[in-house]
Amino acid sequence: MNILINTLCFFGALAFMEGVAYFAHKYVMHGFGWFLHESHHRPREGLFELNDLYAFIFAIPSIVLIWFGTNGHPWALWMGLGVAGYGAIYFGFHDVIVHRRIHHNWRPKSRYMQRIVHAHRLHHALEEKEGAVSFGFIYAPPVPVLRAEMKAIEAERAATAG
Ligand SMILES: [Zn+2]
Ligand SMILES: [Zn+2]
């Protein structure tokens, strides 16, 4: 029974973090937190970018949960590890696979991987705070849906600028 609860806590926290990441990316990073995230929508000079500071911010809930987990609340440990697991997947997907901060020539083969990589490239089609699409990381709508969304945003801009 404990294994079941621990597994649920782990994967529940991991999946929940995709939602947190989506909303944080859309409303915080492309909102008042743009001053840090902007560095990620520009060519990087050097090894690091200001946007990397978000990794420390997102590590806080994981550290707090793991602390509670090792101090009398075992379920919190697995949630904390789930949050950390999301961080590891995010880093592997976003920083290594898409942005190649570690050199490699691997190309995604599965449809799912191709879709989320392509979706994140579309997120980077603009270097601006406003008008971006695809804010998630391990889930993304199909590419044609995102392209349609981009067209709609463009059309709306043209109409309001006119
Ligand atoms: Zn962004
Ligand atoms: Zn990116």
Side-chain angles (χ1 to χ4, degrees):
M1 198 56 196
N2 261 349
I3 290 178
L4 189 69
I5 291 170
N6 292 344
T7 309
L8 273 176
C9 283
F10 180 83
F11 286 104
L14 201 153
F16 181 72
M17 282 310 287
E18 170 70 1
V20 171
Y22 177 92
F23 283 102
H25 189 189
K26 186 165 181 166
Y27 298 107
V28 178
M29 295 156 93
H30 281 254
F32 68 84
W34 176 251
F35 71 104
L36 292 177
H37 188 57
E38 184 177 12
S39 61
H40 183 59
H41 283 263
R42 304 266 179 275
R44 184 172 45 244
E45 297 149 14
L47 271 182
F48 296 101
E49 49 195 55
L50 266 179
N51 183 60
D52 293 334
L53 290 174
Y54 279 113
F56 290 96
I57 297 168
F58 283 114
I60 295 169
S62 174
I63 293 165
V64 170
L65 283 163
I66 291 171
W67 186 87
F68 278 108
T70 49
N71 286 279
H73 306 276
W75 53 270
L77 173 66
W78 292 95
M79 282 191 176
L81 291 175
V83 174
Y86 182 81
I89 292 170
Y90 169 85
F91 179 78
F93 165 69
H94 179 259
D95 291 276
V96 180
I97 293 178
V98 180
H99 293 295
R100 297 182 178 234
R101 293 177 79 170
I102 295 171
H103 181 77
H104 66 84
N105 288 315
W106 183 81
R107 289 191 186 280
K109 280 168 200 77
S110 78
R111 276 168 165 252
Y112 164 72
M113 282 305 296
Q114 286 174 350
R115 169 161 123 185
I116 59 172
V117 168
H118 198 152
H120 193 67
R121 295 243 162 82
L122 291 180
H123 175 72
H124 280 281
L126 292 179
E127 290 197 346
E128 305 149 48
K129 178 181 168 188
E130 315 282 347
V133 297
S134 186
F135 294 92
F137 297 97
I138 59 177
Y139 170 77
V143 168
V145 171
L146 292 172
R147 287 209 183 276
E149 201 184 322
M150 289 170 84
K151 271 211 177 119
I153 292 168
E154 244 170 67
E156 200 186 301
R157 281 186 164 184
T160 47

PDB file of all heavy atoms in Angstrom, residues 25-26 29-30 34 37-38 40-41 51 94 120 123-124 126 128-129 132-135 137, ligand 1:
ATOM      1  N   HIS A  25       5.673  29.676 -16.939  1.00  0.00           N
ATOM      2  CA  HIS A  25       6.297  30.117 -18.182  1.00  0.00           C
ATOM      3  C   HIS A  25       5.419  31.157 -18.890  1.00  0.00           C
ATOM      4  O   HIS A  25       5.894  32.192 -19.342  1.00  0.00           O
ATOM      5  CB  HIS A  25       6.538  28.889 -19.083  1.00  0.00           C
ATOM      6  CG  HIS A  25       7.371  29.178 -20.293  1.00  0.00           C
ATOM      7  ND1 HIS A  25       7.536  28.259 -21.298  1.00  0.00           N
ATOM      8  CD2 HIS A  25       8.079  30.276 -20.671  1.00  0.00           C
ATOM      9  CE1 HIS A  25       8.299  28.793 -22.244  1.00  0.00           C
ATOM     10  NE2 HIS A  25       8.642  30.017 -21.888  1.00  0.00           N
ATOM     11  N   LYS A  26       4.113  30.868 -18.925  1.00  0.00           N
ATOM     12  CA  LYS A  26       3.207  31.749 -19.659  1.00  0.00           C
ATOM     13  C   LYS A  26       2.944  33.078 -18.929  1.00  0.00           C
ATOM     14  O   LYS A  26       2.968  34.136 -19.535  1.00  0.00           O
ATOM     15  CB  LYS A  26       1.880  31.018 -19.892  1.00  0.00           C
ATOM     16  CG  LYS A  26       0.925  31.801 -20.767  1.00  0.00           C
ATOM     17  CD  LYS A  26      -0.199  30.923 -21.287  1.00  0.00           C
ATOM     18  CE  LYS A  26      -1.117  31.758 -22.168  1.00  0.00           C
ATOM     19  NZ  LYS A  26      -2.025  30.942 -22.956  1.00  0.00           N
ATOM     20  N   MET A  29       7.132  34.087 -16.389  1.00  0.00           N
ATOM     21  CA  MET A  29       8.337  34.312 -17.189  1.00  0.00           C
ATOM     22  C   MET A  29       8.067  35.220 -18.390  1.00  0.00           C
ATOM     23  O   MET A  29       8.904  36.042 -18.746  1.00  0.00           O
ATOM     24  CB  MET A  29       8.929  32.963 -17.599  1.00  0.00           C
ATOM     25  CG  MET A  29       9.419  32.178 -16.376  1.00  0.00           C
ATOM     26  SD  MET A  29       9.472  30.396 -16.639  1.00  0.00           S
ATOM     27  CE  MET A  29      11.162  30.206 -17.169  1.00  0.00           C
ATOM     28  N   HIS A  30       6.891  35.057 -19.019  1.00  0.00           N
ATOM     29  CA  HIS A  30       6.504  35.972 -20.100  1.00  0.00           C
ATOM     30  C   HIS A  30       5.653  37.108 -19.546  1.00  0.00           C
ATOM     31  O   HIS A  30       4.909  37.763 -20.289  1.00  0.00           O
ATOM     32  CB  HIS A  30       5.774  35.216 -21.224  1.00  0.00           C
ATOM     33  CG  HIS A  30       6.726  34.487 -22.121  1.00  0.00           C
ATOM     34  ND1 HIS A  30       7.049  34.896 -23.386  1.00  0.00           N
ATOM     35  CD2 HIS A  30       7.482  33.378 -21.886  1.00  0.00           C
ATOM     36  CE1 HIS A  30       7.946  34.072 -23.915  1.00  0.00           C
ATOM     37  NE2 HIS A  30       8.220  33.131 -23.026  1.00  0.00           N
ATOM     38  N   TRP A  34       9.865  38.523 -17.019  1.00  0.00           N
ATOM     39  CA  TRP A  34      10.524  38.560 -18.334  1.00  0.00           C
ATOM     40  C   TRP A  34      11.970  39.054 -18.241  1.00  0.00           C
ATOM     41  O   TRP A  34      12.831  38.661 -19.016  1.00  0.00           O
ATOM     42  CB  TRP A  34       9.695  39.423 -19.289  1.00  0.00           C
ATOM     43  CG  TRP A  34      10.300  39.614 -20.647  1.00  0.00           C
ATOM     44  CD1 TRP A  34      10.843  40.761 -21.152  1.00  0.00           C
ATOM     45  CD2 TRP A  34      10.421  38.625 -21.680  1.00  0.00           C
ATOM     46  NE1 TRP A  34      11.294  40.559 -22.430  1.00  0.00           N
ATOM     47  CE2 TRP A  34      11.048  39.253 -22.782  1.00  0.00           C
ATOM     48  CE3 TRP A  34      10.071  37.277 -21.782  1.00  0.00           C
ATOM     49  CZ2 TRP A  34      11.338  38.567 -23.965  1.00  0.00           C
ATOM     50  CZ3 TRP A  34      10.355  36.599 -22.967  1.00  0.00           C
ATOM     51  CH2 TRP A  34      10.982  37.243 -24.039  1.00  0.00           C
ATOM     52  N   HIS A  37      13.799  35.941 -17.972  1.00  0.00           N
ATOM     53  CA  HIS A  37      13.552  34.970 -19.035  1.00  0.00           C
ATOM     54  C   HIS A  37      13.999  35.488 -20.396  1.00  0.00           C
ATOM     55  O   HIS A  37      14.322  34.700 -21.287  1.00  0.00           O
ATOM     56  CB  HIS A  37      12.061  34.608 -19.047  1.00  0.00           C
ATOM     57  CG  HIS A  37      11.719  33.479 -19.979  1.00  0.00           C
ATOM     58  ND1 HIS A  37      12.311  32.234 -19.888  1.00  0.00           N
ATOM     59  CD2 HIS A  37      10.846  33.405 -21.029  1.00  0.00           C
ATOM     60  CE1 HIS A  37      11.806  31.451 -20.836  1.00  0.00           C
ATOM     61  NE2 HIS A  37      10.926  32.133 -21.547  1.00  0.00           N
ATOM     62  N   GLU A  38      14.023  36.806 -20.559  1.00  0.00           N
ATOM     63  CA  GLU A  38      14.398  37.418 -21.844  1.00  0.00           C
ATOM     64  C   GLU A  38      15.734  36.845 -22.354  1.00  0.00           C
ATOM     65  O   GLU A  38      15.896  36.601 -23.545  1.00  0.00           O
ATOM     66  CB  GLU A  38      14.519  38.945 -21.673  1.00  0.00           C
ATOM     67  CG  GLU A  38      14.817  39.658 -22.971  1.00  0.00           C
ATOM     68  CD  GLU A  38      14.867  41.179 -22.814  1.00  0.00           C
ATOM     69  OE1 GLU A  38      14.903  41.677 -21.671  1.00  0.00           O
ATOM     70  OE2 GLU A  38      14.888  41.849 -23.857  1.00  0.00           O
ATOM     71  N   HIS A  40      16.786  34.023 -22.272  1.00  0.00           N
ATOM     72  CA  HIS A  40      16.616  32.727 -22.928  1.00  0.00           C
ATOM     73  C   HIS A  40      16.043  32.874 -24.339  1.00  0.00           C
ATOM     74  O   HIS A  40      16.108  31.937 -25.135  1.00  0.00           O
ATOM     75  CB  HIS A  40      15.721  31.826 -22.070  1.00  0.00           C
ATOM     76  CG  HIS A  40      15.584  30.458 -22.656  1.00  0.00           C
ATOM     77  ND1 HIS A  40      16.672  29.640 -22.889  1.00  0.00           N
ATOM     78  CD2 HIS A  40      14.499  29.762 -23.106  1.00  0.00           C
ATOM     79  CE1 HIS A  40      16.253  28.509 -23.439  1.00  0.00           C
ATOM     80  NE2 HIS A  40      14.950  28.564 -23.585  1.00  0.00           N
ATOM     81  N   HIS A  41      15.473  34.040 -24.641  1.00  0.00           N
ATOM     82  CA  HIS A  41      14.936  34.275 -25.983  1.00  0.00           C
ATOM     83  C   HIS A  41      15.905  35.096 -26.827  1.00  0.00           C
ATOM     84  O   HIS A  41      15.535  35.638 -27.859  1.00  0.00           O
ATOM     85  CB  HIS A  41      13.558  34.955 -25.910  1.00  0.00           C
ATOM     86  CG  HIS A  41      12.458  33.987 -25.550  1.00  0.00           C
ATOM     87  ND1 HIS A  41      11.647  33.394 -26.486  1.00  0.00           N
ATOM     88  CD2 HIS A  41      12.060  33.501 -24.356  1.00  0.00           C
ATOM     89  CE1 HIS A  41      10.787  32.580 -25.882  1.00  0.00           C
ATOM     90  NE2 HIS A  41      11.012  32.635 -24.587  1.00  0.00           N
ATOM     91  N   ASN A  51      18.204  33.499 -17.203  1.00  0.00           N
ATOM     92  CA  ASN A  51      17.055  32.602 -17.080  1.00  0.00           C
ATOM     93  C   ASN A  51      17.363  31.365 -16.219  1.00  0.00           C
ATOM     94  O   ASN A  51      16.465  30.766 -15.640  1.00  0.00           O
ATOM     95  CB  ASN A  51      16.624  32.182 -18.493  1.00  0.00           C
ATOM     96  CG  ASN A  51      15.393  31.317 -18.498  1.00  0.00           C
ATOM     97  OD1 ASN A  51      14.335  31.732 -18.040  1.00  0.00           O
ATOM     98  ND2 ASN A  51      15.522  30.101 -18.989  1.00  0.00           N
ATOM     99  N   HIS A  94      14.834  20.171 -22.311  1.00  0.00           N
ATOM    100  CA  HIS A  94      14.924  21.559 -22.733  1.00  0.00           C
ATOM    101  C   HIS A  94      16.359  22.021 -22.999  1.00  0.00           C
ATOM    102  O   HIS A  94      16.673  22.564 -24.048  1.00  0.00           O
ATOM    103  CB  HIS A  94      14.251  22.451 -21.681  1.00  0.00           C
ATOM    104  CG  HIS A  94      14.318  23.903 -22.005  1.00  0.00           C
ATOM    105  ND1 HIS A  94      15.216  24.747 -21.417  1.00  0.00           N
ATOM    106  CD2 HIS A  94      13.611  24.639 -22.896  1.00  0.00           C
ATOM    107  CE1 HIS A  94      15.044  25.955 -21.925  1.00  0.00           C
ATOM    108  NE2 HIS A  94      14.087  25.919 -22.813  1.00  0.00           N
ATOM    109  N   HIS A 120       8.690  23.336 -28.978  1.00  0.00           N
ATOM    110  CA  HIS A 120       9.515  24.302 -28.246  1.00  0.00           C
ATOM    111  C   HIS A 120      10.285  25.212 -29.202  1.00  0.00           C
ATOM    112  O   HIS A 120      10.527  26.374 -28.907  1.00  0.00           O
ATOM    113  CB  HIS A 120      10.455  23.621 -27.250  1.00  0.00           C
ATOM    114  CG  HIS A 120      11.054  24.622 -26.308  1.00  0.00           C
ATOM    115  ND1 HIS A 120      10.288  25.297 -25.371  1.00  0.00           N
ATOM    116  CD2 HIS A 120      12.308  25.141 -26.198  1.00  0.00           C
ATOM    117  CE1 HIS A 120      11.061  26.162 -24.737  1.00  0.00           C
ATOM    118  NE2 HIS A 120      12.284  26.089 -25.218  1.00  0.00           N
ATOM    119  N   HIS A 123       8.044  27.876 -29.939  1.00  0.00           N
ATOM    120  CA  HIS A 123       7.998  28.834 -28.829  1.00  0.00           C
ATOM    121  C   HIS A 123       9.089  29.885 -29.012  1.00  0.00           C
ATOM    122  O   HIS A 123       8.908  31.049 -28.676  1.00  0.00           O
ATOM    123  CB  HIS A 123       8.177  28.124 -27.481  1.00  0.00           C
ATOM    124  CG  HIS A 123       8.254  29.093 -26.339  1.00  0.00           C
ATOM    125  ND1 HIS A 123       7.144  29.787 -25.885  1.00  0.00           N
ATOM    126  CD2 HIS A 123       9.300  29.532 -25.589  1.00  0.00           C
ATOM    127  CE1 HIS A 123       7.511  30.592 -24.902  1.00  0.00           C
ATOM    128  NE2 HIS A 123       8.812  30.465 -24.698  1.00  0.00           N
ATOM    129  N   HIS A 124      10.216  29.466 -29.574  1.00  0.00           N
ATOM    130  CA  HIS A 124      11.349  30.377 -29.769  1.00  0.00           C
ATOM    131  C   HIS A 124      11.302  31.116 -31.102  1.00  0.00           C
ATOM    132  O   HIS A 124      12.259  31.822 -31.434  1.00  0.00           O
ATOM    133  CB  HIS A 124      12.668  29.607 -29.649  1.00  0.00           C
ATOM    134  CG  HIS A 124      13.059  29.361 -28.227  1.00  0.00           C
ATOM    135  ND1 HIS A 124      13.640  30.321 -27.439  1.00  0.00           N
ATOM    136  CD2 HIS A 124      12.921  28.270 -27.439  1.00  0.00           C
ATOM    137  CE1 HIS A 124      13.857  29.825 -26.231  1.00  0.00           C
ATOM    138  NE2 HIS A 124      13.428  28.584 -26.198  1.00  0.00           N
ATOM    139  N   LEU A 126       9.698  33.622 -31.771  1.00  0.00           N
ATOM    140  CA  LEU A 126       9.714  35.056 -31.460  1.00  0.00           C
ATOM    141  C   LEU A 126      10.733  35.329 -30.363  1.00  0.00           C
ATOM    142  O   LEU A 126      10.936  34.495 -29.493  1.00  0.00           O
ATOM    143  CB  LEU A 126       8.338  35.510 -30.958  1.00  0.00           C
ATOM    144  CG  LEU A 126       7.189  35.506 -31.959  1.00  0.00           C
ATOM    145  CD1 LEU A 126       5.915  35.950 -31.261  1.00  0.00           C
ATOM    146  CD2 LEU A 126       7.495  36.421 -33.122  1.00  0.00           C
ATOM    147  N   GLU A 128      10.288  37.931 -28.488  1.00  0.00           N
ATOM    148  CA  GLU A 128       9.587  38.908 -27.658  1.00  0.00           C
ATOM    149  C   GLU A 128       8.808  38.249 -26.532  1.00  0.00           C
ATOM    150  O   GLU A 128       8.539  37.061 -26.566  1.00  0.00           O
ATOM    151  CB  GLU A 128       8.591  39.706 -28.505  1.00  0.00           C
ATOM    152  CG  GLU A 128       9.192  40.371 -29.710  1.00  0.00           C
ATOM    153  CD  GLU A 128       8.172  40.447 -30.830  1.00  0.00           C
ATOM    154  OE1 GLU A 128       7.033  40.877 -30.570  1.00  0.00           O
ATOM    155  OE2 GLU A 128       8.511  40.056 -31.954  1.00  0.00           O
ATOM    156  N   LYS A 129       8.417  39.106 -25.602  1.00  0.00           N
ATOM    157  CA  LYS A 129       7.636  38.681 -24.449  1.00  0.00           C
ATOM    158  C   LYS A 129       6.229  38.257 -24.854  1.00  0.00           C
ATOM    159  O   LYS A 129       5.706  37.251 -24.378  1.00  0.00           O
ATOM    160  CB  LYS A 129       7.582  39.882 -23.498  1.00  0.00           C
ATOM    161  CG  LYS A 129       6.787  39.700 -22.250  1.00  0.00           C
ATOM    162  CD  LYS A 129       6.857  41.020 -21.459  1.00  0.00           C
ATOM    163  CE  LYS A 129       5.853  41.040 -20.341  1.00  0.00           C
ATOM    164  NZ  LYS A 129       5.778  42.363 -19.688  1.00  0.00           N
ATOM    165  N   ALA A 132       3.965  34.616 -27.921  1.00  0.00           N
ATOM    166  CA  ALA A 132       4.567  33.292 -28.081  1.00  0.00           C
ATOM    167  C   ALA A 132       3.503  32.203 -27.929  1.00  0.00           C
ATOM    168  O   ALA A 132       2.451  32.423 -27.343  1.00  0.00           O
ATOM    169  CB  ALA A 132       5.681  33.097 -27.063  1.00  0.00           C
ATOM    170  N   VAL A 133       3.797  31.022 -28.473  1.00  0.00           N
ATOM    171  CA  VAL A 133       2.914  29.858 -28.303  1.00  0.00           C
ATOM    172  C   VAL A 133       3.709  28.744 -27.620  1.00  0.00           C
ATOM    173  O   VAL A 133       4.932  28.822 -27.521  1.00  0.00           O
ATOM    174  CB  VAL A 133       2.360  29.341 -29.662  1.00  0.00           C
ATOM    175  CG1 VAL A 133       1.495  30.395 -30.324  1.00  0.00           C
ATOM    176  CG2 VAL A 133       3.487  28.896 -30.584  1.00  0.00           C
ATOM    177  N   SER A 134       2.995  27.720 -27.145  1.00  0.00           N
ATOM    178  CA  SER A 134       3.598  26.509 -26.592  1.00  0.00           C
ATOM    179  C   SER A 134       4.465  26.777 -25.357  1.00  0.00           C
ATOM    180  O   SER A 134       5.680  26.954 -25.464  1.00  0.00           O
ATOM    181  CB  SER A 134       4.433  25.792 -27.667  1.00  0.00           C
ATOM    182  OG  SER A 134       4.903  24.565 -27.164  1.00  0.00           O
ATOM    183  N   PHE A 135       3.833  26.773 -24.197  1.00  0.00           N
ATOM    184  CA  PHE A 135       4.545  27.074 -22.960  1.00  0.00           C
ATOM    185  C   PHE A 135       4.862  25.837 -22.134  1.00  0.00           C
ATOM    186  O   PHE A 135       5.541  25.918 -21.127  1.00  0.00           O
ATOM    187  CB  PHE A 135       3.729  28.070 -22.126  1.00  0.00           C
ATOM    188  CG  PHE A 135       3.624  29.407 -22.784  1.00  0.00           C
ATOM    189  CD1 PHE A 135       2.561  29.724 -23.621  1.00  0.00           C
ATOM    190  CD2 PHE A 135       4.617  30.353 -22.596  1.00  0.00           C
ATOM    191  CE1 PHE A 135       2.476  30.947 -24.252  1.00  0.00           C
ATOM    192  CE2 PHE A 135       4.547  31.585 -23.215  1.00  0.00           C
ATOM    193  CZ  PHE A 135       3.470  31.880 -24.047  1.00  0.00           C
ATOM    194  N   PHE A 137       6.306  21.744 -21.618  1.00  0.00           N
ATOM    195  CA  PHE A 137       7.569  21.099 -21.984  1.00  0.00           C
ATOM    196  C   PHE A 137       7.401  19.620 -22.295  1.00  0.00           C
ATOM    197  O   PHE A 137       7.824  19.158 -23.345  1.00  0.00           O
ATOM    198  CB  PHE A 137       8.607  21.322 -20.885  1.00  0.00           C
ATOM    199  CG  PHE A 137       8.929  22.766 -20.710  1.00  0.00           C
ATOM    200  CD1 PHE A 137       8.311  23.527 -19.728  1.00  0.00           C
ATOM    201  CD2 PHE A 137       9.801  23.406 -21.580  1.00  0.00           C
ATOM    202  CE1 PHE A 137       8.572  24.883 -19.599  1.00  0.00           C
ATOM    203  CE2 PHE A 137      10.070  24.755 -21.467  1.00  0.00           C
ATOM    204  CZ  PHE A 137       9.458  25.501 -20.459  1.00  0.00           C
TER     205      PHE A 137
HETATM  206 ZN    ZN B   1       9.706  31.543 -23.146  1.00  0.00          ZN
END
